[in-house]
């Protein structure tokens, strides 16, 4: 049942998605994965490595169209993506990297505001090769927001960062998302990230992936470090098999 | 000190050359002074500029054509297995056909015309450019292209901002070797079938056994190519690679 005034942006039903491995063996990545994304919601795909959650994200991004099933959009898709690796153009400055993907209505003033919030003001004329991984990730996140997407996709955007940097970046994403509400999907295998950012967490089964269960994260679940940790432990005790050791 | 070594080397060579010319004392080995006076003679008669500019025009025209066609073929071959399969035997064929044969055939079938001369040079160079650019295209970063695709870059944006910067070192390499190969072939083409240009002048002075004039034209042309390298190729390369960290 849908609440009044809550509209769905996207309805997805992937009946079957296989891919051919390098050894020539066909692997089923997704089987009967079904979901609906409501406008301005923050959904998290959670599950162990290789469960097909990144594959589903790539299908939403329009990077993979080789599947059986349906992806139905309420509006024309406009995707802003943050990849696992920052994927910046090394031969363009930070500013050029952001502006190249920006929406036509993204003004010079919007740019100044965005880099200010992201703490990138000093870096705008630098090349990506001069930045740390944490800073490059910030640029990649800024680029995705500058494209003014109707669907923001985050593929493990905080992986391989040190804990304080990851925490700062999660806070930044949270701030940006609260200030510019957009439908967002994040892939992660870290329940702390899921609880801190997500409103709804979809738990994936192991390969072939499908959605095993869904959890609703209430704002009260992230009021403090202690509540986040409590929620994380609770989920972990309920679904120990979804956690990587 | 770094700048002094090449200087020592050049000055030493000129000294050796002067001494050898003085000892042998034969017009077939003119010294630097004779070569300089030949250069001066050709400059003041206007002949050197005339022939130099004609050759330079042919070099630039065939260079641009060979680069554009070669880059196009190389890109297509690097991207598509089918196109690679179709073109590959011909690439091997044209890589191995002697330059002289191509020149003869172009002149026989096209007449002793400017177009035939340029086409002969272009055919000689295109396969090298295509091979280099095919390798470049095969090494393109797929992840960046996906990034462009997910942000809905237009085809032109992808080419300009993602593909071209990655091909740039391959284009520079093909261009460098291309320029030096092309001007040598242009001289042969002029030698065989044109009535102007540096190659034609070399032909004339070869028949007269005028070694000083032959060296004069060669040095003048090498000087022009060096200027192109220093004034155009190197600054462009520096600009295009400014994003790379300085090599240690």
């Amino acid at each position: 049942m849908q609440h009044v005034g809550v509209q769905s942006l996207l309805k997805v039903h992937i009946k079957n998605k296989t891919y051919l491995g390098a050894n020539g063996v066909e692997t089923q990545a997704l089987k009967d994965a079904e979901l609906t994304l409501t406008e301005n919601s923050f959904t998290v795909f959670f599950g162990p490595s290789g469960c097909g959650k990144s594959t589903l994200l790539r299908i939403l991004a329009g990077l993979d169209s080789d599947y059986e099933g349906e992806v139905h959009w309420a509006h024309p898709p406009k995707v802003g993506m943050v990849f696992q690796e920052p994927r910046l153009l090394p031969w363009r400055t930070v500013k050029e990297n952001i502006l190249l993907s920006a929406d036509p209505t993204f003004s010079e003033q919007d740019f100044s505001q965005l880099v200010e919030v992201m703490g990138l003001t000093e870096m705008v004329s630098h090349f990506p090769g001069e930045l740390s991984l944490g800073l490059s990730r910030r640029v990649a996140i800024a680029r995705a927001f500058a494209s003014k997407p109707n669907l923001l996709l985050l593929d493990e955007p905080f992986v391989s960062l040190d804990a304080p940097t990851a925490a700062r970046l999660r806070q930044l994403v949270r701030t940006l998302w609260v200030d510019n509400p957009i439908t967002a999907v994040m892939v992660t295998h870290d329940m702390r990230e899921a609880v801190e950012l997500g409103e709804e967490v979809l738990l994936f089964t192991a390969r072939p992936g499908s959605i095993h269960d869904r959890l609703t994260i209430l704002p009260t679940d992230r009021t403090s470090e202690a509540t986040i940790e409590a929620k994380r432990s609770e989920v972990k005790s309920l679904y120990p098999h979804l956690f990587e050791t | 000190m770094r700048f002094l070594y090449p200087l020592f080397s050049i000055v030493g060579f000129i000294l050796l050359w002067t001494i050898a010319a003085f000892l042998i004392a034969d017009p077939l080995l003119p010294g630097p002074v004779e070569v300089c006076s030949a250069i001066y003679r050709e400059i003041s008669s206007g002949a050197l500029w005339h022939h130099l500019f004609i050759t330079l025009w042919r070099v630039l025209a065939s260079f641009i054509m060979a680069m554009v066609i070669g880059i196009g073929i190389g890109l297509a071959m690097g991207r598509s297995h089918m196109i690679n399969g179709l073109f590959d035997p011909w690439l091997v064929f044209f890589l191995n056909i002697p330059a002289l044969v191509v020149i003869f055939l172009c002149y026989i079938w096209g007449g002793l015309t400017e177009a035939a001369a340029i086409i002969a040079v272009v055919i000689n160079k295109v396969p090298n450019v295509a091979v280099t650019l095919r390798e470049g295209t095969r090494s393109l970063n797929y992840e960046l292209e996906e990034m462009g695709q997910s942000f809905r870059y237009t085809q032109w944006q992808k080419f300009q901002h993602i593909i071209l910067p990655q091909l740039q070192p391959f284009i520079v390499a093909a261009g460098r070797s291309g320029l030096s190969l092309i001007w040598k072939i242009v001289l042969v083409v002029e030698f065989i079938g044109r009535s102007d240009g540096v190659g034609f002048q070399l032909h004339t002075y070869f028949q007269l056994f005028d070694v000083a004039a032959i060296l004069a034209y060669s040095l003048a042309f090498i000087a022009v190519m060096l200027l192109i390298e220093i004034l155009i190729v190197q600054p462009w390369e520096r600009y295009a690679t400014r994003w790379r960290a300085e090599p240690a």
Side-chain angles (χ1 to χ4, degrees), chain B residues 75-88 138:
Chain B
L75 259 174
M77 290 181 77
R79 292 242 135 181
S80 153
H81 287 298
M82 189 192 75
I83 294 176
N84 187 49
L86 288 174
F87 274 76
D88 195 51
R138 283 176 178 167

Side-chain angles (χ1 to χ4, degrees), chain A residues 129-144:
Chain A
E130 301 166 305
L131 306 182
S132 65
L133 179 63
L135 281 172
S136 301
R137 286 264 169 76
R138 285 192 206 197
V139 178
I141 292 166
R143 174 175 66 184

Side-chain angles (χ1 to χ4, degrees), chain B residues 69-126:
Chain B
I69 297 171
I71 290 172
I73 295 177
L75 259 174
M77 290 181 77
R79 292 242 135 181
S80 153
H81 287 298
M82 189 192 75
I83 294 176
N84 187 49
L86 288 174
F87 274 76
D88 195 51
W90 300 107
L91 200 60
V92 177
F93 177 80
F94 279 104
L95 273 173
N96 289 298
I97 191 170
L100 213 52
V101 173
V102 174
I103 297 168
F104 284 155
L105 291 179
C106 284
Y107 276 145
I108 291 169
W109 291 332
L112 293 175
T113 60
E114 197 65 34
I118 302 272
I119 288 170
V121 181
V122 171
I123 291 176
N124 271 304
K125 181 55 197 167
V126 161

Side-chain angles (χ1 to χ4, degrees), chain A residues 230-245:
Chain A
K231 187 72 187 172
R232 201 187 78 86
S233 313
E234 179 198 326
V235 177
K236 191 169 181 176
S237 62
L238 276 171
Y239 306 100
H241 62 287
L242 294 182
F243 285 80
E244 284 164 309
T245 45

Side-chain angles (χ1 to χ4, degrees), chain A residues 143-242:
Chain A
R143 174 175 66 184
F145 275 94
S147 72
K148 297 195 176 173
N150 56 19
L151 180 62
L152 175 70
L153 301 174
L154 305 140
D155 188 2
E156 305 202 29
F158 313 114
V159 82
S160 61
L161 288 177
D162 59 272
T165 308
R168 248 199 324 276
L169 267 185
R170 285 199 295 273
Q171 194 50 49
L172 273 174
V173 170
R174 180 90 199 143
T175 311
L176 278 173
W177 182 73
V178 169
D179 293 347
N180 319 263
I182 30 175
T183 315
V185 177
M186 179 174 77
V187 162
T188 185
H189 55 249
D190 179 343
M191 191 38 83
R192 162 174 294 277
E193 278 177 31
V195 177
E196 259 185 58
L197 289 166
E199 294 179 319
E200 187 174 42
V201 179
L202 305 181
L203 303 172
F204 278 61
T205 56
R207 193 164 46 210
S210 64
I211 292 148
H212 172 69
D213 205 348
R214 49 196 76 216
L215 301 168
T216 303
I217 307 289
L218 300 168
T220 50
D221 291 330
R222 21 174 195 258
T223 46
S224 71
E225 240 345 84
T227 52
I228 290 172
E229 187 50 42
K231 187 72 187 172
R232 201 187 78 86
S233 313
E234 179 198 326
V235 177
K236 191 169 181 176
S237 62
L238 276 171
Y239 306 100
H241 62 287
L242 294 182

